[in-house]
Amino acid sequence: MSRIFITGDAGFIGFHLAKQLLALGHTVAGYDAISAYYSPRLKQSRLDLLCQSSEFSHTTGRLEDARELAGAMRTFQPDIVVHLAAQAGVRYSITNPEEYISSNIVGSATLLDVLREVPPAHLMLASTSSVYGGNVRAPFSELDTTDAPLSLYAATKRSMESLAHSFSHLHQVPTTVFRFFTVYGPWGRPDMALFKFVRAILNDEPIDIYGFGKMRRDFTYVDDLVRAILKLSQAVPAVAAPIGERDSLSKVAPFRIVNIAGGSPTELMTFVSAIEHSLGRIARKNLMPMQPGDVVSTFADTRLLHDLIGELPSTPVPEGVARFVDWYMADGVSTLDVSGVTQGRTH
């Protein structure tokens, strides 16, 4: 069994990953600021569930706090580090750029500096499909250029990727960066479309549908994502050992980038229809133009993921949406203060 350190363990994906690792018998330590970007009560509820395991420990702190972070890392001595903590959200980055620079760039650089002292056997970092930005090729391949970000969020995550590559090269730490594509599911973030749409429809409030409903997203159910991360943790990059011509393995570092997605884009209106079906209600829809920083479509090339782990995320969107709705209705989410996004860090 391994010792895994997760930054952002109180977050949506970090919570699900930690829960699955604990179920498999691993020892997990988490690090999270429990910030007010969205409901701290929701984050604390996730942590409360994780803390039921004797193999889980948590430190509350900010990534930029090198002393706190280093202390937690030295105490735990991890085999694997999974860096999920970040300031998320494309639209929030437009009005609060300093949060993204502090968390995603300064915070990530601080983590890498700390790891010079306690280098893991495998470092894994979360990036985003947003880094593909103005890329006009589809599906998005890990070998495509990512030099045209459309939002500050995307730019900061691409900067994190570059920092991680230089760290991997200088210190020979095997590093995998995974690019997520629109992850959804139970215990998700309240600022994301699924959470907002379900809440609004149940309250008979209109929902805002950007891009006039023509936008397409490569939705990825959270359990599928976690399974992919677990399998990728065993696919440790090695210098000059590519697995084929599609491999994104660096020529100068044990560093690889991998898309994690379903590989099948869904139109936003189809996504809304799945929500309506699960709720048994019809949404009142405001069709609106795209917002700054958004892209029309995301579509992942998942062949490298398949080459590495032999299994692709497969939960159909209607099934994944139904699971979210079941969780929302059964677990009393309406009693939590999850009403919106506020200023503050989410790492």
Side-chain angles (χ1 to χ4, degrees):
M1 296 295 103
S2 297
R3 298 174 64 80
I4 297 99
F5 190 97
I6 301 175
T7 70
D9 60 319
F12 169 37
I13 297 170
F15 160 72
H16 280 279
L17 177 61
K19 182 161 65 77
Q20 185 59 34
L21 286 167
L22 292 168
L24 293 171
H26 299 286
T27 301
V28 178
Y31 189 92
D32 197 298
I34 323 295
S35 72
Y37 169 65
Y38 66 84
S39 169
R41 288 184 63 192
L42 178 59
K43 297 176 185 179
Q44 188 59 53
S45 295
R46 296 172 182 145
L47 281 181
D48 290 345
L49 290 175
L50 296 177
C51 286
Q52 294 176 10
S53 170
S54 61
E55 294 301 311
F56 176 76
S57 59
H58 169 80
T59 300
T60 299
R62 286 164 42 178
L63 285 175
E64 301 94 320
D65 188 342
R67 178 176 298 181
E68 188 73 40
L69 182 59
M73 202 73 72
R74 287 193 209 101
T75 299
F76 188 66
Q77 293 291 313
D79 302 310
I80 298 172
V81 172
V82 186
H83 178 37
L84 299 171
Q87 176 62 59
V90 169
R91 292 160 193 160
Y92 190 63
S93 72
I94 296 172
T95 56
N96 296 272
E98 67 282 355
E99 299 289 346
Y100 290 77
I101 293 169
S102 178
S103 175
N104 301 354
I105 299 179
V106 177
S108 296
T110 302
L111 171 66
L112 295 173
D113 190 53
V114 166
L115 291 179
R116 291 191 302 163
E117 180 183 340
V118 282
H122 194 180
L123 172 61
M124 309 182 76
L125 307 98
S127 187
T128 170
S129 63
S130 295
V131 301
Y132 290 109
N135 182 25
V136 296
R137 293 182 54 181
F140 299 163
S141 166
E142 296 91 344
L143 300 178
D144 292 342
T145 59
T146 53
D147 54 3
L150 300 184
S151 67
L152 181 72
Y153 169 61
T156 59
K157 296 299 275 186
R158 185 64 186 92
S159 298
M160 182 214 67
E161 292 182 0
S162 296
L163 289 168
H165 181 273
S166 64
F167 174 81
S168 177
H169 167 68
L170 290 171
H171 304 287
Q172 292 300 295
V173 174
T175 301
T176 300
V177 171
F178 20 74
R179 290 173 177 165
F180 296 157
F181 284 69
T182 316
V183 187
Y184 72 102
W187 292 97
R189 293 198 338 253
D191 62 314
M192 297 192 72
L194 180 55
F195 212 121
K196 292 196 297 185
F197 286 176
V198 168
R199 184 173 55 219
I201 293 170
L202 288 174
N203 291 329
D204 194 29
E205 299 169 354
I207 61 174
D208 294 334
I209 301 177
Y210 296 100
F212 301 106
K214 301 300 183 183
M215 296 168 66
R216 289 156 50 93
R217 291 292 180 265
D218 202 337
F219 291 102
T220 311
Y221 187 65
V222 66
D223 287 352
D224 300 332
L225 179 92
V226 166
R227 284 196 293 269
I229 292 173
L230 292 175
K231 285 183 172 289
L232 285 172
S233 71
Q234 304 305 309
V236 183
V239 178
I243 62 170
E245 62 181 16
R246 288 193 292 267
D247 199 348
S248 61
L249 184 72
S250 169
K251 292 181 173 61
V252 296
F255 175 93
R256 175 184 282 130
I257 293 174
V258 186
N259 290 334
I260 301 182
S264 179
T266 299
E267 284 199 356
L268 187 53
M269 292 303 292
T270 302
F271 190 67
V272 172
S273 294
I275 299 172
E276 292 175 324
H277 178 76
S278 292
L279 291 174
R281 300 190 184 191
I282 301 300
R284 293 194 288 128
K285 307 173 184 72
N286 288 333
L287 299 181
M288 304 177 68
M290 286 179 57
Q291 290 197 317
D294 272 346
V295 297
V296 174
S297 177
T298 62
F299 180 8
D301 184 336
T302 56
R303 291 178 296 173
L304 175 57
L305 179 65
H306 184 272
D307 291 346
L308 288 166
I309 69 174
E311 177 185 355
L312 297 176
S314 59
T315 302
V317 165
E319 181 180 338
V321 167
R323 291 180 190 175
F324 174 88
V325 169
D326 287 346
W327 165 77
Y328 189 99
M329 302 296 286
D331 284 13
V333 176
S334 60
T335 66
L336 293 173
D337 178 18
V338 295
S339 57
V341 176
T342 60
Q343 294 191 13
R345 295 176 175 82
T346 187
H347 57 280

